[in-house]
Amino acid sequence: MRSPTLKRIIDIVTAAAALVVLAVPMGLVALAIRATMGSPVLFRHVRPGLDERPFELLKFRTMSVADHDVPALDAQRITALGRVLRATSIDELPTLLNVLRGDMSLVGPRPLLERYLDRYTPEERRRHEVRPGMTGLAQVSGRNVLGWDERLALDVRYVETWTVIGDLRILARTVAQVLRREGTSEPGHATRSELRPEIGAMPGVEQTGGDVPPA
């Protein structure tokens, strides 16, 4: 059953309930980040959402602040606490606020970087025909272990085939995947390699969207 209204209701009810239940643990994580990394506690980054409209993505911060003058690999900026937050997907919990606000859905293609918009094929840009998700078909099919072409193809497949029941199945598979801590990073990278760097990446720097924009 494809019901955008029911999908949105499930998003609102689930995100609101999760934020209430997780309020205390999220507060403790925020304090730990503040104590070990300082401010800001939250990572804020503009991403393209539904119909490519920009929104501000929220996550817990896991990296040290980037230096304008000394570009650094993600692996050099991730802190010890940040590795734990990423491995357990706890860094994603503030994204529930994006779901509650309507920027995102619980399930959908993951929101990628704005600079990638010109690197998609016309077919791949269809991933923006639905709200981006905290998890999605590509995430439960391999997450960051997948190559870019396969990952983007799965995003388009989701757009074409999603159902409410399918979303519930993806959520169940996501829980199992998080518990196994699988696919959190691409082999050989701290996070994820650049999408089609020949179209515009900075040579020699792993640009994955990072975690803290330059101060």
Side-chain angles (χ1 to χ4, degrees), residues 80-209:
L81 175 60
R83 289 190 180 90
V84 174
L85 297 180
R86 283 176 177 264
T88 56
S89 295
I90 291 174
D91 64 318
E92 305 273 358
L93 293 181
T95 309
L96 289 165
L97 291 169
N98 289 117
V99 175
L100 200 59
R101 294 192 313 205
D103 302 324
M104 295 178 59
S105 176
L106 292 172
V107 182
R110 287 285 292 173
L112 301 177
L113 305 180
E114 282 194 302
R115 68 170 180 264
Y116 288 175
L117 288 174
D118 293 335
R119 305 184 193 184
Y120 299 134
T121 66
E123 179 72 4
E124 289 167 351
R125 289 187 82 144
R126 295 190 59 205
R127 69 194 308 279
H128 298 289
E129 292 178 8
V130 298
R131 284 187 178 90
M134 292 186 67
T135 186
L137 182 59
Q139 277 57 52
V140 298
S141 300
R143 206 171 177 181
N144 285 329
V145 175
L146 297 177
W148 276 113
D149 289 349
E150 186 177 4
R151 178 176 177 175
L152 295 173
L154 286 168
D155 288 342
V156 176
R157 184 190 301 176
Y158 174 81
V159 170
E160 295 175 338
T161 64
W162 78 267
T163 64
V164 172
I165 296 300
D167 280 3
L168 296 176
R169 289 173 178 161
I170 287 173
L171 288 171
R173 291 173 63 186
T174 298
V175 172
Q177 186 177 55
V178 169
L179 292 175
R180 293 193 300 267
R181 302 186 183 183
E182 293 179 349
T184 55
S185 62
E186 180 180 349
H189 297 267
T191 51
R192 178 84 198 183
S193 63
E194 180 85 0
L195 171 64
R196 296 164 187 157
E198 68 277 5
I199 306 179
M202 182 186 299
V205 178
E206 181 181 12
Q207 299 181 11
T208 63

